[in-house]
Amino acid sequence: MRSDFSQLVRQARKGDSEAFAKLYSEIYKDLYYYALCNLNNQDDAADAVSDAVIDAFAGIKNLKDENAFKGWMIRILTAKIKRKQAEYVQVRDNTSSMENDEGEIIDIPVSEGKYMGIEILDRIESLSPNEKMCFSLNVLYGYTSDEISAATGINSATVRTHLARGKQKLKRELSAEFE
Amino acid sequence: MNKSQSEIFRELMHELPVPDRLSPENITLLLEKQKLKSASTDARICYEQDLHSVRKIEFSSNEPNKDNSQKSRAGSSGFSKAYRITASLAACLAILAGVVVYTDVSHSEITSEDPSSSDNYANDYSELFKTFQRFYIDGSDKKTLDSASAEASRYWGDSEDVDTDNVSVPHTGTTSGITATMPSDSGAESEEPDVPPADESEVPEENKEPEAEPEQIVVLEPGTAISDKLICTDGNTVFYASGDNINIAVLENQNVYLKSQIPLVLESSTKRSFEYLFLSGSRLVAVSSVTRTEKALSNEADFGTLGEFMVNTFGDSENGIVERHSTEVRVYDVSSPEIPVLVSSYEQSGSCTDAVMDGSILYIATSYDKYRYSPISGVDDLESYVPSYAFNGQKYYLSAQDIIIPNQLATTDYAVLAGLDVSSANPVVSAKAVLGYEGRIYIFGGSAYMLTYSNGSSTDMTSISQFSLSGGNIGYVASASVPGIALKEYSLGKTGDYVYICTLVQNGESSAPNIFVLDSSLMVVSSTEIAVPSSSVKSVTFSGSTAYISVAGKNECYTVDLSDPYFIKMNDGVSESNTSVSFKPSGDGTGFYLRKNIDSTIELVLCSVDSRGVISQISSVEVEENPGTSTALNDAGVLFTDASLKIVGVPYSYYDGYDYCYKYIVFSYENNVLSKIGSFETHEIDNKFEYGRAVYTGESLCVISPGRITSAHVDRSGVSVVSEADTIANGYTSSH
């Protein structure tokens, strides 16, 4: 019930971690899948969600509209994802490979089969970071371009461009696969 | 793509397992641990959690390192191959069936550029030397924040109403120095949900509320607060710098005795002046600026083409005399106030821009821009291009690995940062330098930020470099660029882990100030454009969870709500403000400033500060009937306030026809009513006895003037002088 939801938000504002966890339980899977679409592997995705949860719990007292909890969490998670993506750029620029614990040179893993072999989901990796972000928000949450713009900070018209290009790319990929 | 295909993607996605550590039960445990962690000592840079990967930023290494988390291997999804192929084919057909037409519309995204990954520590001096060579051989005009600001000003034109004399200067001090830290609770719980504004046209005229008076807002000016940096007390002993001495006065039964003086070190061809005084336990730390004048070396050296070019470019002083600036730190053991003992001395290249004390750790920032007294003769000529420090007389050049060379260089000036542990016999913990300094460095709690100009995709950008300050160690953390130019009138702010910066962003033919919020990794999490013409903006200052935008030529002020870093917004309406005064918060939700009226009388104004940081006047009282002035008029930090005693002290001076009367007046503000408790005064011919700041030791109110320290007893019934100690000889004294 809506009143229960508002009550949970009010309790979470007071530092009630269980109340926050109940709010989180309604959306946590979609949060994880969103992060997974946009990051290289499952661990990074889980890290991003954990970071976002910690920040959100610390800052929930600043949430003015209780009904905006989900969108607000997505904005925070988007920021975490972007930060992680920036680290990928730094690592890629500085090294093309790195040492593992045994001192052997290994390539930086890109996907590590994060989609567990589901080929159609693997095709998402052919999209650019911004295209993936817009596409995943559109698919997972049904967000419109304006809603995606609010969550990511990307201009609405640019969002529409990313969405259109992303879908075209996927179309090409799947067409080539199944020709 | 039609909805059914989205559903397919969603269904496929939802079959993927979610890691256990993200389950609601484990998240509850994580949050409980986080609550405990927040209650303990802040370990912002270095932390670990059982359910979270370990991250460390190595202070001594070149770049932030990240330890890889343990890899968890989940099991298979359980999908059959047949289902996957079927689902893929279905989605494929749907995609083939959908044709999307789009137009290519280019829009700039108001997000930070990906942080530059190429800000590097120099590998060796050779690399640093070659950087200098390339810079000067290039010879092209380098844009800086200042030159870009000047261009922007010419572009939109200088407003006639802009009072450049009163433009606020970005504060490079600590949060304690920024008296703008209001006792506001940005996290105050709001029980009222957002309610859409009612349509006013439906409200009958007689039921409409009268328009509210504009709120009186006094925008905090980052005050000069010079003398505040030169006084400290441990409750029994007062240390203050005055002229060429540090005076050490001890209070015994409210009587004040001058026990000793520490003079500035005097050398020929050297000028020194005190910049900061800090007290850490029994250690008194004196920070001084040092200027040495030297003869420039001959410019007739034969260095070949490059050397001749550098000689022509460097432009030494015509009279052959050059000044070299450095900053000195002297640590004294003052456990016996009568006999302060010098423990250690440290000197660092460059003029002091800021100094911050954190426990026993002193962080000091200097700008090193006058190091050249001769052309660089070669890579081994370290004196010509490498910053240095001296400890107990022994000189050390910063190692190349402690010098950061950014991607873009507009200057060959350095910002030098050092962390010193004053409790240690060997205090130097860390010293780093950053090339390309452009005069903007800010130190907040735990971090330092340097702003420089950068050019991304042929657009003006401002680059922010963050350095961590922890335990005396200084580490490069991250760099990022945001669109626009950070003007000097726009300051930098920080609350918690979030940094706020305002830049002027060009958008076609127009430009507008924009505020960006960056998180602890300098990623932009939100931004907003300030809907005020850039030519009208006088200053942008940050205070707690509010940004204040003052308007040039008008007593108007706009505010931006920063309480939710992920969703900042301009507040509706404009407030009346007086941006030419500074304000002294007292720490109990009130604050004070002095106001000079048209008839030259001076009023003490009591204000309240609400949770948003908005200041409103409560009451005022005339300070003194004799026309005069006060050192607190332009710097409210000089006012003394005590929230527990509910008193405020005001220094005042006037000419009575015979000599100068220097008065100190104490007011009570109990129940928000200003009333005079009492005063004391002295008549002098030397303005070195003009009263200034005061400190309360728990027993006595000690009022300090350059030539005297006065101990006074204060209670509700009045004020009375107990004793005085002169630090200089006076012409005559007539104390009451």
Side-chain angles (χ1 to χ4, degrees), chain B residues 509-709:
Chain B
E509 293 294 315
S510 63
S511 61
N514 278 251
I515 291 179
F516 298 90
V517 184
L518 294 84
D519 66 11
S520 56
S521 297
L522 296 186
M523 295 299 296
V524 172
V525 298
S526 66
S527 64
T528 190
E529 181 176 306
I530 297 174
V532 178
S534 56
S535 57
S536 301
V537 174
K538 178 182 172 185
S539 67
V540 178
T541 50
F542 298 95
S543 167
S545 60
T546 307
Y548 296 93
I549 300 104
S550 61
V551 179
K554 297 181 184 179
N555 287 338
E556 287 180 358
C557 175
Y558 296 85
T559 56
V560 176
D561 183 1
L562 308 174
S563 56
D564 183 351
Y566 290 91
F567 189 64
I568 62 172
K569 59 181 177 64
M570 252 184 103
N571 292 322
D572 294 330
V574 60
S575 300
E576 195 175 319
S577 74
N578 183 343
T579 60
S580 62
V581 301
S582 63
F583 177 85
K584 175 74 180 285
S586 55
D588 59 356
T590 63
F592 300 89
Y593 69 96
L594 292 185
R595 177 171 60 212
K596 189 160 190 174
N597 299 318
I598 296 174
D599 59 1
S600 297
T601 57
I602 294 178
E603 283 185 301
L604 173 67
V605 182
L606 166 66
C607 301
S608 68
V609 184
D610 70 12
S611 58
R612 293 178 301 145
V614 175
I615 305 162
S616 304
Q617 179 175 329
I618 300 175
S619 61
S620 65
V621 67
E622 188 178 84
V623 173
E624 167 66 35
E625 61 179 5
N626 292 300
T629 187
S630 171
T631 50
L633 201 53
N634 292 320
D635 179 11
V638 176
L639 295 173
F640 169 78
T641 62
D642 190 295
S644 56
L645 297 174
K646 298 290 186 195
I647 61 172
V648 52
V650 183
Y652 193 84
S653 57
Y654 63 92
Y655 185 69
D656 66 0
Y658 300 99
D659 51 24
Y660 285 97
C661 175
Y662 298 124
K663 207 164 181 177
Y664 200 83
I665 310 161
V666 181
F667 295 86
S668 161
Y669 66 96
E670 193 80 37
N671 298 321
N672 287 338
V673 175
L674 282 167
S675 60
K676 183 174 170 179
I677 294 178
S679 66
F680 53 90
E681 63 185 56
T682 182
H683 290 251
E684 307 285 347
I685 55 175
D686 192 334
N687 62 5
K688 284 192 171 56
F689 296 97
E690 182 175 15
Y691 293 122
R693 296 191 177 246
V695 292
Y696 189 69
T697 63
E699 284 187 349
S700 302
L701 178 67
C702 291
V703 183
I704 293 166
S705 61
R708 177 180 296 147
I709 178 168

Side-chain angles (χ1 to χ4, degrees), chain A residues 19-144:
Chain A
F20 187 93
K22 282 180 187 167
L23 293 169
Y24 164 80
S25 65
E26 295 188 20
I27 61 172
Y28 78 101
K29 287 188 179 179
D30 281 341
L31 289 179
Y32 171 69
Y33 298 136
Y34 172 48
L36 189 66
C37 280
N38 290 280
L39 293 174
N40 280 359
N41 53 66
Q42 296 148 357
D43 290 304
D44 286 351
D47 286 348
V49 174
S50 297
D51 281 346
V53 162
I54 290 170
D55 269 12
F57 184 61
I60 192 167
K61 48 176 106 52
N62 298 322
L63 176 64
K64 293 181 175 53
D65 180 3
E66 290 148 359
N67 296 320
F69 175 77
K70 180 176 171 182
W72 181 71
M73 275 273 357
I74 289 170
R75 275 204 302 275
I76 296 173
L77 179 58
T78 301
K80 300 301 176 188
I81 289 170
K82 285 183 181 176
R83 184 205 301 181
K84 193 64 196 171
Q85 288 173 339
E87 286 178 19
Y88 292 157
V89 173
Q90 283 184 347
V91 171
R92 195 157 49 242
D93 283 350
N94 290 333
T95 60
S96 56
S97 61
M98 62 182 189
E99 289 185 1
N100 61 9
D101 291 340
E102 282 75 44
E104 299 164 330
I105 302 296
I106 57 174
D107 290 331
I108 299 169
V110 175
S111 297
E112 289 191 20
K114 65 179 180 177
Y115 294 124
M116 314 304 297
I118 302 176
E119 291 165 19
I120 193 169
L121 294 178
D122 280 334
R123 297 298 162 214
I124 297 176
E125 293 308 304
S126 65
L127 307 183
S128 72
N130 280 333
E131 288 167 0
K132 258 194 277 189
M133 187 162 278
C134 296
F135 179 81
S136 53
L137 285 171
N138 178 246
V139 165
L140 284 171
Y141 300 108
Y143 273 13
T144 63

Side-chain angles (χ1 to χ4, degrees), chain B residues 42-46 59 358 361 363 419 429-430 445-447 467-475:
Chain B
D42 181 33
R44 186 167 54 241
I45 302 299
C46 201
F59 299 135
D358 181 8
I361 304 295
Y363 295 103
V429 180
S430 171
S447 297
F467 302 88
S468 62
L469 310 175
S470 179
N473 288 297
I474 296 166

Side-chain angles (χ1 to χ4, degrees), chain B residues 41-46 57 59 172-176 354-359 361-364 417-419 441-450 465-478 492 494-499 520-522:
Chain B
T41 306
D42 181 33
R44 186 167 54 241
I45 302 299
C46 201
I57 296 178
F59 299 135
T172 59
T174 63
T175 50
S176 62
D354 209 347
V356 171
M357 199 81 196
D358 181 8
I361 304 295
L362 173 71
Y363 295 103
I364 185 164
L417 293 164
I441 192 161
Y442 304 81
I443 297 183
F444 296 97
S447 297
Y449 300 88
M450 191 169 98
S465 295
Q466 180 185 358
F467 302 88
S468 62
L469 310 175
S470 179
N473 288 297
I474 296 166
Y476 169 72
V477 176
L492 195 77
K494 186 175 181 186
T495 302
D497 286 337
Y498 297 96
V499 176
S520 56
S521 297
L522 296 186

